[in-house]
Amino acid sequence: MLRPQDSATRERRSLAGLWRFRADADGVGRQERWFARPLADAIDMPVPSSYNDIVPGRELHDHVGDVWYQTTTRVPRGWAGQRVVLRFDAATHAATVFVGETEVVSHQGGYTPFEADVTELVTPGEEIRVTAVVDNRLTWETIPPGIIEQTPHGPRQKYMHDFFNYAGLHRTVWLYSTPVVHVEDVTVVPGVQGDPTAEHLTGTVGYAVAVAGGSTSVVVRLLDADGGEVTRADGADGTLEVPDVHLWQPGEGYQYDLVVEVHHGETVADVYVQKVGVRTVEVRGTEFLINGRPFYFRGFGMHEDHLTRGKGHDDAEMVHDFALLEWIGANSLRTSHYPYAEEVMDYADAHGIVVIDETPAVGMNAAVAAVLGTKIDNVFSEEAVGSKAQAAHAQAIRELYERDKNRPGVVLWSIANEPESHTPESEEYFKPLFALARELDEHRPVGFVNVMYSKADVDRLAQYSDVIMINRYYGWYSDSGDLEAAEAALEAELHQWDAHGKPILMTEYGADTVAGLHDLTGAMWSEEYQAELLDMYHRVFDRFDSFQGEHVWNFADFQTSRGIVRVDGNKKGAFTRDRRPKAAAHLLRRRWTGRDWLGQD
Ligand code: BDP
């Protein structure tokens, strides 16, 4: 789905700001048609933001079910004769949207965009009322899954993943215009002719443009970063040649502009500008190659998580987080455990940060659920994660691909985090999902993230992955506090994975650490223990040639649900929740900036 933009023929209006808001504790709003009039008894709610931590008290923090958001906006006068679209960058986890009294769109899935053509419902120059009812419930039909328990004290949301169920309008809402005849979609596939490591390469940009609204011809022009025209072509699809191409590289996110023009008769009806980074990605044996050169992932599994705003996107926090990644010497991140805001993805593309792009499929594991305090039997069954969840999961994969398919920074899809992967049922569940991901994208590798409870000797899904991604907690959840035993166990297990002959990435490793807690014996929870544990892992990693990356869990401390294993959230951050470095951050910085990592930054 195209990201809204201002172009010669298009305009956007952000609806970010304070909206009217009301939690629907009794679940009566839909029936009482709250969308049909100004929201009564409403409070002010910032968009974008999670609503959970905005006001004190548990009521909103732990709310289960619908909340209502409402705003008014004036449709610009100049949009007469244009198509008008209302787009939500995300609504967590499901939403139905009304313009005036008319329902315009419903969407399930909390981290991907959706939109509605509202042209027939609006008059340029006049005001419209936009109402969204947003439902935060997770069930066996949603991704991620969850369980609603009915109790005498009201409904309680349980879930099997380790981050707080922040909800609301986490990203911007746009009203935008396009011409009636318009670019509906653009797909680009970059490549190079010959050996990508050669000098003076010729790049290729395969492209396909979908147009809606009338008969047309399409012209595309490729501009370099200075705006100079490199090449042009006629037709809705084809392949452009880029002589002496400037590649998109890790550490240098060089991008071209593909200017897509739709001609309608003699006039240019619509213009859409698609960024293009020319780079190749390939898994060869145990190597992960970007532009033909071995790439070693250094960085973190992250979270969209901040004080007060929860998962609400904020440019200041984003730029600060990327500055910390640069400071520490990271070259990559995983969007654990859901698609991140498109602003984040744009930034990664523009700055050469390599991304493992993950769906929201997390919490499909009885053993992990038990650690976090929820008991489930037979995860992959019709009583739990069954065909309905699988359909939602397939949809999540499709929507992630549609949103991020053109991004050079995305080099690997992760279709799930830590599912149970040792049962025949898990294999049955996942086989078609791997097939779907491959059918959608034949150019990027696909994988999933393996859990410590489904090790190499029993796992049934690694055979479908191009890359082995594993999360391990030796020295924390197992061999707790005993780094010698942990080292031996980690090394023994990596030997098993080595046998697959694929690149191995450690997508999570770490230890909960209370910032400021110091201990002369290096006890668990101290800053000393976290640093020592990471150091031990690094020693082991460096013994394996097939080892191609290390992502520490986590970039920063983050909020979780309440329980006996978390004190004010998960404390495995290299930074605290307010982004102060722990000792581990300095250790990582020394390792990641202190040597030549195959010439790839
Ligand atoms: C893994 C999960 C991650 C958790 C982490 C932990 O992938 O979401 O936060 O462990 O326990 O199970 O800290």
Side-chain angles (χ1 to χ4, degrees), residues 160-163 303 334 336-337 358 362 368 371-372 417-418 449-453 471 473 476-477 508 510-512 553-554 558 560 566 570-572:
M160 293 69 72
H161 54 268
D162 185 33
F163 54 93
H303 264 301
R334 176 170 59 118
S336 41
H337 297 306
E358 189 158 276
V362 56
V368 174
V371 173
L372 299 173
N417 179 71
E418 294 196 343
V449 173
N450 169 283
V451 69
M452 60 195 264
Y453 305 109
N471 296 346
Y473 288 96
W476 190 256
Y477 293 118
E508 289 184 23
D512 280 278
W553 191 254
N554 187 286
F558 59 91
T560 63
R566 298 285 177 255
N570 187 307
K571 296 277 187 265
K572 296 193 183 70

Side-chain angles (χ1 to χ4, degrees), residues 454-466:
S454 303
K455 296 206 174 72
D457 48 343
V458 292
D459 169 85
R460 304 171 79 109
L461 296 183
Q463 57 175 317
Y464 302 103
S465 295
D466 297 306

Side-chain angles (χ1 to χ4, degrees), residues 17-22 43-47 49-52 54-55 60 68-69:
L18 293 185
W19 289 43
R20 305 291 290 158
F21 175 93
R22 183 176 173 186
I43 61 168
D44 287 329
M45 185 59 67
V47 173
S49 177
S50 300
Y51 58 73
N52 308 77
I54 296 297
V55 294
L60 201 48
W68 292 75
Y69 284 84

Side-chain angles (χ1 to χ4, degrees), residues 161-163 171 295 297-305 311 321-322 325 330-341 344-345 348 353-363 400 403-404 409-419 446-452 467-473 505-510 549-556 558 570 572 579 592:
H161 54 268
D162 185 33
F163 54 93
R171 300 173 191 164
F295 180 75
F297 294 76
R298 312 186 304 266
F300 299 94
M302 299 184 67
H303 264 301
E304 292 187 315
D305 178 273
K311 293 199 176 309
D321 283 356
F322 275 105
L325 289 174
N331 62 5
S332 56
L333 60 93
R334 176 170 59 118
T335 69
S336 41
H337 297 306
Y338 39 81
Y340 288 2
V344 174
M345 303 303 283
I353 301 294
V354 169
V355 175
I356 302 174
D357 209 359
E358 189 158 276
T359 71
V362 56
L400 179 62
R403 195 193 75 164
D404 290 348
V410 174
V411 299
L412 174 58
W413 302 110
S414 164
I415 67 170
N417 179 71
E418 294 196 343
V446 177
F448 82 105
V449 173
N450 169 283
V451 69
M452 60 195 264
V467 174
I468 306 292
M469 293 187 270
I470 58 176
N471 296 346
R472 289 299 178 268
Y473 288 96
L505 309 186
M506 186 64 73
T507 33
E508 289 184 23
Y509 61 112
E550 51 197 59
H551 276 178
V552 172
W553 191 254
N554 187 286
F555 171 69
F558 59 91
N570 187 307
K572 296 193 183 70
R579 275 45 177 178
W592 289 346

